[in-house]
Amino acid sequence: MMDEKITHTVEDYLKTIYDITSTHDRASTNQIAESLGVAPASVTGMLKKLAEIDPPIVDYQRHRGVALTPEGEKMALEVIRHHRLIEMFLQQILGYKWDEVHGEADRLEHVISEEFEERIARALGDPSHDPHGDPIPSKDLQMPPSSFLPLCEMRPGQEAVVLRVRDENPEMLRYLSELGIIPNTDLKIVEYSPLDDNLSLQVSGSEKRIVLGPRITSEIYVKVNPA
């Protein structure tokens, strides 16, 4: 059984590895270090420890990075379920804004009981997505299937609906909310600038054009409407 004092840190590592490997086969030490804000040497030491737990929760190979084992993935999904349900609870029941819930959920996700988790889920009607459009793992820890494309990959003439927005940057979330760019918003791409990768777009119901750079468009995920 894992030391109680390192459980929160372990869970943060598992969440980070899950997030990175959702778009990559394996997570590199540097990717994890950058995401968690720790030194690469510290990451290497932690990954070695996690690989030695019985049963191991990561598959770590020097120079090849790390992936979660089935046990590690189950643990990651449990924490992610806690986090995203808490975000919904804070927004729907307590009136938090979508740019305020991530930090609170980060703190609470490690400490709520399974009973409390299920009471939240029932009170909210067992939601499938959090306020930012991220899918919530089911009670049996299955992640709902989703198909999305980063907004930065869209080009003029294409139309899409916003599915999710990455939630780590509250300032960006506030800015997008002011522009009306939230989950389930319809967008149309008007222009693309290859010089700086800026996109000019229109939000459904508005004639105003909005110009967004790649730092923001890479954080927004959409489902492209059929031509």
Side-chain angles (χ1 to χ4, degrees):
M1 188 173 182
M2 282 182 289
D3 189 327
E4 179 76 14
K5 288 183 284 189
I6 69 169
T7 299
H8 296 180
T9 301
V10 168
E11 290 176 344
D12 286 339
Y13 268 82
L14 296 179
K15 273 178 46 183
T16 298
I17 295 168
Y18 183 91
D19 183 52
I20 295 170
T21 55
S22 66
T23 53
H24 300 76
D25 288 337
R26 302 178 73 83
S28 72
T29 299
N30 286 337
Q31 285 175 315
I32 298 169
E34 181 178 359
S35 179
L36 292 176
V38 298
S42 298
V43 173
T44 299
M46 176 60 80
L47 295 180
K48 288 179 178 178
K49 291 179 181 178
L50 300 185
E52 294 171 357
I53 292 173
D54 185 21
I57 55 179
V58 302
D59 170 28
Y60 172 66
Q61 299 178 32
R62 189 180 178 187
H63 304 309
R64 292 197 63 242
V66 64
L68 297 176
T69 65
E71 184 67 24
E73 182 173 332
K74 179 180 177 182
M75 293 173 64
L77 288 170
E78 183 67 54
V79 182
I80 291 169
R81 176 171 167 81
H82 285 185
H83 182 99
R84 295 178 181 175
L85 281 172
I86 290 168
E87 287 191 334
M88 282 297 290
F89 181 80
L90 292 172
Q91 185 194 52
Q92 296 292 323
I93 306 300
L94 300 185
Y96 279 65
K97 297 178 182 178
W98 78 326
D99 58 278
E100 298 173 327
V101 297
H102 179 72
E104 293 283 10
D106 264 347
R107 289 183 283 272
L108 294 169
E109 66 190 19
H110 304 291
V111 297
I112 68 170
S113 67
E114 302 311 302
E115 173 64 21
F116 191 65
E117 169 208 305
E118 287 312 306
R119 290 192 179 216
I120 290 175
R122 288 198 299 270
L124 295 173
D126 201 18
S128 61
H129 292 78
D130 74 7
H132 312 100
D134 287 313
I136 300 174
S138 63
K139 183 178 179 179
D140 60 356
L141 302 181
Q142 299 297 311
M143 187 66 85
S146 60
S147 177
F148 51 77
L149 180 79
L151 179 59
C152 60
E153 295 184 16
M154 293 190 65
R155 293 298 178 262
Q158 289 185 301
E159 298 182 6
V161 59
V162 176
L163 293 183
R164 61 183 287 253
V165 180
R166 293 191 66 87
D167 58 5
E168 290 88 354
N169 186 335
E171 184 179 354
M172 183 188 72
L173 292 174
R174 287 191 290 271
Y175 176 63
L176 292 175
S177 185
E178 291 171 0
L179 297 176
I181 300 176
I182 59 176
N184 298 315
T185 299
D186 291 311
L187 305 174
K188 180 178 180 179
I189 307 303
V190 181
E191 292 182 10
Y192 165 69
S193 171
L195 183 65
D196 51 20
D197 287 328
N198 285 352
L199 287 177
S200 176
L201 55 88
Q202 286 179 316
V203 175
S204 178
S206 172
E207 295 300 317
K208 181 181 178 181
R209 291 190 181 186
I210 298 168
V211 178
L212 297 176
R215 188 172 69 87
I216 293 180
T217 57
S218 63
E219 302 288 280
I220 302 170
Y221 298 88
V222 301
K223 180 179 180 181
V224 180
N225 297 335

